[in-house]
C-alpha cells in the first residue's frame, strides 16, 4: 500500500511538472496570451482526456425504432408475460395487439381540414395513472408514428394546461377517472387539447386492426422524436426536452449488453413516467423478453409496499434514487427481497455510507450508480459499486457506449486529471434540444469541437465533476441555482418566479438547505 501510494504521488507530481512546463513554454511563445488562455495539458494527457477515456464506439442498430425492436421481441416470445398490474396481465402478443389497435385509432384522427393529427414529430399527450393502459398508451403512440408527452395527473391544473399548450398536443390519452379534471385543465390551454381518448374504454379500440404499422406507412426514422419530457425551468415554467429514437435505442442496447435481461427477469416499474428513468424501465424490459411489474399508483413512495411487491412478484431488477433507497433499506428485513439481483441508483449523488449499507443489507444484489440528465437519453455514465471501497466518493463512472464525456473549464477546454470542471456530454444520446426554446437550446446544446463529425453537438450540463486517473468521473455538485431533492430536478429560479407573482410578495429568495434528521436504520 505504501509503495503504491508513493507511485501515485510521484505520478501526480510528474503530471503537474508537465503542466508547468507547457504553461511556461506557452507564456514564452506568446506574451499576449491571457492567463485563462494559457494551456496546461501535455499532448498525451489531452489525448487521454478527450479521446482515450471516450473510446466508447460500439455497434448498435442506429436506424431502428423503439417499437420495431419491441415487435421483434413479440415474434420471439409471443406468449411470455409482458406486463402485470395487480391481478391483471398481458402477454407480449396481447400487448402488441392492443397497442396496434390504439395506433390505428390514432392514425385515423383528422383535424377540421382532414389532415392527420398524428405523424412523425407530432406530440401526443398521455396522462394516466400507473396501469396496463399506461404501457399500451406509450407503445401505441410510438407505433402510430408520433412521440409521447407524459403528463403526471398529480400536477397542478395550471402546469398541466401549460404543458398541453406548449407541446401543442392535439390528442390527449387518459382514463375515465381523470377525464373531468384533465378537461378542466385543457380548457385553460389556449390552443385546446383537441381529441381526448380513454385508454380504459373498449370503444377506443373497437374495430381497429391488430397488425403492426410499418415505417413505410408512418414515415418515421430514428431521427424522429420518441418523447418530450418536461423538466423544471428557471423562467417559472417547465421546459420540454426532445429526445429521438436513436439516442434511446443506443441507451437501451448498451443496457442490455451491460446487464443482460432474460425472460425470467421481472423489472419493477415504479418511476413516475414524467421522469426519464421510466423510459428504460418500460422499454429495456419489453425489448428483451422480461416481465414488467407495474407498481400501484403512489406505490413508489411506500417502502413497505415496495418490499411486498418485490416479494410477491419475484422482482429481479429495481431502480432507486438514493434518498428512497435509504428509506427502502430500513424496511427490508433479513431474508426478504431475495429475488433481487440488480439494483440501479441514479437521480442524486450516491453517498458511500448508503452504498455500504445497501451491500451489507442485500449482499447478493449488484448495485450500480448511473448518471445522466433528461437532455441526454436517460443515462450517460455508469459505475459498478465496489464493496471494497471504504473512503472517498462513489463515482458516477465511465461513459456508456457511443457517449463522450468532457470535463471543461470556462473556455470549454479540458481540465487536468483531478481538477473540477463542468461536465459536457457528446455522442449519440444528446437530445435534439428544448421544445419551443431556440435561445435556450443554442445556449445549452453547443458545437462539439472534439468530434470529427461536422454537426456534432454537446450538452452543457451545469454539473461539476472531475476525472479520476482510472477514467471514472466523480460528481461534485451543481454550478448554478438548480438542485435535486429526492431525485427531482428543481430550478430555484422557477420557485422564485412563481412566488414573485403573488401580489403580497415584493422580493423573494429561495434556498435549498440540508435538513438535520436522523437516518433510518
Amino acid at each position: 500500500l505504501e509503495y503504491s501510494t508513493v507511485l501515485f504521488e510521484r505520478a501526480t507530481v510528474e503530471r503537474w511538472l508537465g503542466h508547468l512546463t507547457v504553461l511556461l513554454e506557452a507564456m514564452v511563445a506568446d506574451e499576449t496570451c491571457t492567463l485563462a488562455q494559457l494551456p496546461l495539458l501535455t499532448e498525451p494527457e489531452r489525448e487521454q482526456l478527450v479521446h482515450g477515456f471516450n473510446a466508447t464506439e460500439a455497434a448498435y442498430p442506429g436506424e431502428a425504432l423503439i417499437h420495431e425492436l419491441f415487435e421483434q421481441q413479440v415474434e420471439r416470445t409471443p406468449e411470455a408475460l409482458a406486463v402485470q398490474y395487480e391481478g391483471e396481465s398481458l402477454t407480449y402478443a396481447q400487448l402488441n395487439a392492443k397497442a396496434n389497435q390504439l395506433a390505428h385509432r390514432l392514425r385515423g384522427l383528422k383535424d377540421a381540414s382532414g389532415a392527420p393529427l398524428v405523424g412523425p414529430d407530432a406530440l401526443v399527450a398521455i396522462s394516466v395513472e400507473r396501469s396496463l393502459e399506461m404501457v399500451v398508451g406509450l407503445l401505441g403512440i410510438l407505433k402510430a408514428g408520433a412521440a409521447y408527452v407524459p403528463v403526471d395527473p398529480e400536477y397542478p391544473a395550471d402546469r398541466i394546461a401549460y404543458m398541453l399548450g406548449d407541446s401543442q398536443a392535439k390528442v390527449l390519452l387518459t382514463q375515465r377517472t381523470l377525464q373531468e379534471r384533465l378537461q378542466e385543465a385543457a380548457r385553460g390551454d389556449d390552443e385546446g387539447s383537441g381529441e381526448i381518448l380513454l385508454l380504459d374504454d373498449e370503444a377506443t379500440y373497437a374495430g381497429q386492426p391488430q397488425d403492426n404499422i410499418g415505417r413505410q406507412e408512418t414515415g418515421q426514422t430514428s431521427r424522429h422524436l420518441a418523447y418530450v419530457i418536461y423538466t423544471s425551468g428557471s423562467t417559472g415554467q417547465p421546459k420540454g426536452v426532445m429526445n429521438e429514437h436513436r439516442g434511446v435505442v443506443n441507451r437501451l442496447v448498451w443496457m442490455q449488453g451491460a446487464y443482460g435481461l432474460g425472460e425470467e427477469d421481472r423489472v419493477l416499474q415504479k418511476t413516475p413516467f414524467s421522469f426519464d428513468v421510466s423510459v428504460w424501465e418500460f422499454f429495456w424490459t419489453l425489448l428483451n423478453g422480461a416481465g414488467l411489474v407495474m407498481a400501484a399508483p403512489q406505490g413508489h413512495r411506500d417502502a413497505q409496499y415496495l418490499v411486498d411487491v418485490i416479494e410477491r412478484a419475484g422482482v429481479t431488477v429495481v431502480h432507486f434514487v438514493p434518498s428512497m433507497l435509504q428509506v427502502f433499506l430500513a424496511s427490508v428485513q433479513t431474508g426478504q427481497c431475495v429475488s433481487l439481483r440488480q439494483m440501479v441508483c441514479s437521480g442524486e449523488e450516491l453517498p458511500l455510507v448508503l452504498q455500504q449499507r445497501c451491500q451489507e443489507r442485500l449482499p447478493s444484489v449488484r448495485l450500480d450508480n448511473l448518471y445522466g440528465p433528461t437532455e441526454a437519453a436517460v443515462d450517460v455514465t455508469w459505475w459498478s459499486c465496489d464493496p471494497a471501497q471504504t473512503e472517498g466518493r462513489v463515482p458516477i463512472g465511465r461513459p456508456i457506449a457511443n457517449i463522450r464525456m468532457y470535463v471543461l473549464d470556462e473556455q470549454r477546454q479540458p481540465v487536468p486529471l483531478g481538477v473540477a470542471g463542468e461536465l459536457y456530454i457528446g455522442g449519440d444520446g444528446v437530445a435534439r434540444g428544448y421544445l419551443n426554446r431556440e435561445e435556450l437550446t443554442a445556449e445549452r446544446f453547443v458545437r462539439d469541437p472534439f468530434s470529427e463529425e461536422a454537426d456534432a453537438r454537446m450538452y452543457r450540463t451545469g454539473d461539476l465533476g472531475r476525472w479520476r486517473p482510472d477514467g471514472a468521473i466523480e460528481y461534485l455538485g451543481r454550478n448554478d441555482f438548480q438542485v435535486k431533492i429526492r431525485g427531482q430536478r428543481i430550478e430555484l429560479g422557477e420557485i422564485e418566479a412563481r412566488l414573485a407573482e403573488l401580489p403580497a410578495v415584493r422580493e423573494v429568495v429561495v434556498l435549498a438547505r440540508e435538513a438535520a434528521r436522523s437516518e433510518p436504520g
Side-chain angles (χ1 to χ4, degrees), residues 128-203:
V128 293
E129 291 185 326
R130 206 175 287 115
S131 58
L132 298 183
E133 288 79 24
M134 176 181 281
V135 186
V136 170
L138 298 180
L139 280 169
I141 292 169
L142 297 179
K143 283 169 168 283
Y148 70 88
V149 182
V151 179
D152 192 326
E154 290 191 356
Y155 283 160
D158 60 344
R159 191 178 184 95
I160 293 175
Y162 173 81
M163 292 170 65
L164 293 177
D166 186 64
S167 66
Q168 299 179 23
K170 299 304 180 186
V171 184
L172 170 63
L173 306 183
T174 189
Q175 297 161 307
R176 287 190 184 93
T177 56
L178 301 172
Q179 183 179 8
E180 183 175 347
R181 181 172 183 270
L182 288 168
Q183 283 177 327
E184 285 294 325
R187 278 193 279 271
D189 155 29
D190 293 338
E191 298 292 328
S193 62
E195 295 279 347
I196 295 180
L197 297 182
L198 301 179
L199 292 173
D200 53 355
D201 186 344
E202 279 305 312

Side-chain angles (χ1 to χ4, degrees), residues 402-422:
N402 302 301
I403 293 294
R404 296 185 299 274
M405 298 295 298
Y406 309 115
V407 183
L408 308 181
D409 61 20
E410 293 182 356
Q411 284 69 47
R412 295 182 187 166
Q413 291 301 310
V415 299
L417 280 174
V419 174
E422 184 171 0

Side-chain angles (χ1 to χ4, degrees), residues 74-89:
V74 172
E75 292 295 317
R76 291 190 290 269
T77 58
E79 300 308 315
L81 172 74
V83 56
Q84 65 185 78
Y85 171 72
E86 301 296 311
E88 304 174 299
S89 65

